[in-house]
Amino acid sequence: MWRPHKPSEKGGEKMSSQVRLKLLPSIKCMFDEPIQVKVAGLRPRQVVSMRAKLTDDKGVVFSSSATYRANGNGEVDLKRDPSLGGSYIGVEPMGLLCSMRPLTMHKIYLKTNAINPQVVKFSVHEEEGRLLAEMTNERLLMRDGVTRVPVNEGNICGVLFTPPGKGPFPAVLDLPTSVSEARPSLLANKGFVVLSMAVYNKKGENSTETHLDHFEEAMNFLKQQPKVGSKGVGIMSRCKGANIGLSLAAFVPGVEAIVCINACNANVVTPLYYKKQQILSSLLFDESKFIPTESGAIIIKDALEDPLAEKNKGSLIPIERAKTHFLFAAVEDDLNWDSKAYMDEMVVRLKHHGKENFETVFYPGAGHMLEPPYAPHCPSSFNAGVGKRVLWGGEPKAHIAAEIHLWKKIQDFFKTHLSCDATQNKAKL
């Protein structure tokens, strides 16, 4: 039996007339955990609009809506009932969150400070728009005891997340393209010391070249942390970040495991330097192959030059040199570049050198911007590598499913392949 009560930690509920909106199991949850959205007190078969709205750390407003018909008892359960229209159609328990779109086009959801939870307002409306009930969901990025410390020393500009407890913990270097704290903070919740250092950060490397030494410096800083017990580090990367991650694995000792999401097998956009020497040339985009769209964003998928062409061989990353474990993830609907083809080429290269230190996963229908689950999916935004707004691709339902599966896969992969030695930890102390 449903009874009105004050919002509580064990499931929030708010009354407007006789309509009750519930978020289960709690109005507070971790960002990467699902919730169950239910409504009661409606008229039998009443049609209502369900809405969700949030504002990210950059002030960008995201929202979604879906139409539902109550059952004979006047109830709606997003885990059971299909959306009849709106931002998505069909049974999507977390559809209101994942289908959110920015009110300003071509904006990506950004969490630039993980200390503050993401606040999402859910509401129920009559077809005419009148508000019937609303409830706020606080989605936490840091569990109790996880610490966040900005790091700004030498060539390192990033944020260090450390789990509670004595450790020792395995270490992960997170390489997002731009500053974002959702992935590293959520990974720290799982028992990893994580240093996140964006490829494009405020220290602003010369846009004409990239220096691997800066990221080696970040690796060394991470390994020296008192709670870190792993011999080497793991690397978490996607897109241009994967360029750097793969190059670290190939040229710098100490990378034990690397996750490469939608990676290219060659170094793109800017030449790569190490110890003041160029080690990889750059694979470039042919702007004449950019395809404009009515939205104002472009499609660049077929514009990147062929990395296997003779003139581009100097950009290929010699991943066979790496003494590491690889997890390659690629998608079918990547509009940034052909990540599946590049993944296949890297597998061929490793096999040619007698290597079996890799595993792959492929997601039909998903797009380039795979993130931890339950954030608004980003179909288009500014691409810092080409300096233009681009389409990233991804069919929403397939993309959501891919993010849920991959996030669990990443955690299992790092737990399997990152060693953690308590005696090494004691030696540091």
Side-chain angles (χ1 to χ4, degrees):
M1 181 176 180
W2 296 72
R3 292 189 178 93
H5 60 78
K6 295 179 180 179
S8 75
E9 296 296 312
K10 297 181 180 179
E13 181 177 304
K14 191 167 183 177
M15 291 287 294
S16 176
S17 179
Q18 295 300 309
V19 179
R20 280 95 70 198
L21 174 60
K22 294 197 75 166
L23 307 177
L24 301 170
S26 171
I27 58 172
K28 287 187 178 182
C29 64
M30 299 310 299
F31 187 93
D32 55 350
E33 292 177 353
I35 56 169
Q36 187 173 8
V37 183
K38 302 177 77 171
V39 185
L42 299 168
R43 299 189 303 274
R45 312 297 177 191
Q46 182 178 354
V47 174
V48 293
S49 171
M50 301 285 296
R51 301 178 190 175
K53 186 176 182 180
L54 66 80
T55 303
D56 78 357
D57 289 353
K58 289 289 188 179
V60 180
V61 177
F62 291 76
S63 65
S64 63
S65 65
T67 302
Y68 283 89
R69 186 186 300 277
N71 65 10
N73 295 322
E75 298 170 354
V76 172
D77 183 347
L78 270 62
K79 197 172 182 179
R80 174 195 66 204
D81 301 324
S83 164
L84 307 177
S87 302
Y88 58 95
I89 294 175
V91 178
E92 292 289 342
M94 295 291 283
L96 283 173
L97 276 175
C98 301
S99 69
M100 285 187 179
R101 293 292 178 267
L103 298 190
T104 305
M105 289 184 68
H106 311 307
K107 294 290 186 180
I108 186 172
Y109 171 83
L110 287 175
K111 201 78 185 72
T112 56
N113 190 327
I115 291 176
N116 303 317
Q118 180 57 68
V119 177
V120 183
K121 180 173 284 187
F122 289 90
S123 57
V124 188
H125 302 256
E126 289 183 325
E127 284 187 279
E128 298 76 18
R130 185 173 75 91
L131 177 66
L132 297 175
E134 62 182 357
M135 180 57 57
T136 297
N137 176 211
E138 289 188 33
R139 308 190 64 78
L140 309 171
L141 286 100
M142 294 168 58
R143 291 192 185 278
D144 287 345
V146 173
T147 60
R148 173 192 180 273
V149 178
V151 180
N152 200 335
E153 60 179 69
N155 293 301
I156 306 170
C157 181
V159 183
L160 180 71
F161 294 92
T162 307
K166 294 181 179 179
F169 301 109
V172 174
L173 176 62
D174 177 57
L175 299 173
T177 308
S178 301
V179 176
S180 178
E181 295 188 9
R183 190 169 69 188
S185 60
L186 294 171
L187 205 51
N189 294 335
K190 313 299 181 182
F192 300 93
V193 177
V194 186
L195 174 62
S196 185
M197 181 172 168
V199 175
Y200 301 107
N201 59 58
K202 65 185 179 183
K203 288 217 168 177
E205 282 192 319
N206 189 326
S207 60
T208 61
E209 56 190 49
T210 303
H211 291 269
L212 198 60
D213 313 64
H214 298 185
F215 299 93
E216 180 184 28
E217 193 176 324
M219 274 179 56
N220 292 334
F221 174 87
L222 183 56
K223 286 190 284 188
Q224 290 163 8
Q225 297 308 302
K227 287 189 179 182
V228 168
S230 51
K231 299 171 187 173
V233 303
I235 293 180
M236 179 78 222
S237 61
R238 182 188 63 216
C239 195
K240 179 60 180 174
N243 266 188
I244 293 167
L246 288 168
S247 299
L248 284 170
F251 294 103
V252 178
V255 178
E256 282 195 305
I258 179 170
V259 174
C260 296
I261 303 171
N262 297 327
C264 181
N265 59 334
N267 177 59
V268 301
V269 181
T270 54
L272 186 66
Y273 287 77
Y274 185 49
K275 301 188 184 301
K276 299 182 180 180
Q277 298 283 328
Q278 181 177 308
I279 55 173
L280 293 174
S281 58
S282 55
L283 189 68
L284 301 175
F285 285 92
D286 179 352
E287 294 197 15
S288 70
K289 295 182 179 179
F290 289 174
I291 301 172
T293 68
E294 291 182 3
S295 72
I298 58 173
I299 298 174
I300 65 173
K301 178 172 184 173
D302 298 320
L304 194 62
E305 293 183 356
D306 180 5
L308 299 184
E310 191 61 36
K311 67 172 184 174
N312 295 321
K313 291 291 179 69
S315 69
L316 287 169
I317 305 169
I319 55 174
E320 69 279 0
R321 294 175 46 162
K323 296 178 180 179
T324 187
H325 295 276
F326 297 93
L327 172 59
F328 297 113
V331 298
E332 179 183 46
D333 192 32
D334 192 335
L335 296 184
N336 184 68
W337 53 36
D338 194 343
S339 55
K340 174 63 162 60
Y342 299 144
M343 179 175 77
D344 291 344
E345 288 169 6
M346 285 189 280
V347 166
V348 168
R349 185 174 185 124
L350 289 171
K351 285 182 175 178
H352 177 74
H353 287 86
K355 302 280 189 173
E356 297 180 350
N357 54 337
F358 63 89
E359 53 188 293
T360 64
V361 62
F362 175 63
Y363 297 107
H368 186 78
M369 298 296 279
L370 289 174
E371 294 282 359
Y374 311 127
H377 167 221
C378 178
S380 64
S381 68
F382 183 79
N383 181 326
V386 299
K388 298 179 185 295
R389 295 175 299 183
V390 305
L391 297 185
W392 300 111
E395 185 279 313
K397 187 168 185 175
H399 194 89
I400 294 168
E403 289 183 331
I404 293 169
H405 181 271
L406 180 59
W407 186 232
K408 176 66 164 57
K409 181 85 175 172
I410 288 167
Q411 295 166 48
D412 291 344
F413 175 77
F414 279 143
K415 287 173 182 175
T416 300
H417 294 295
L418 285 181
S419 61
C420 203
D421 186 354
T423 59
Q424 184 174 340
N425 180 259
K426 287 177 183 175
K428 289 181 187 178
L429 300 175

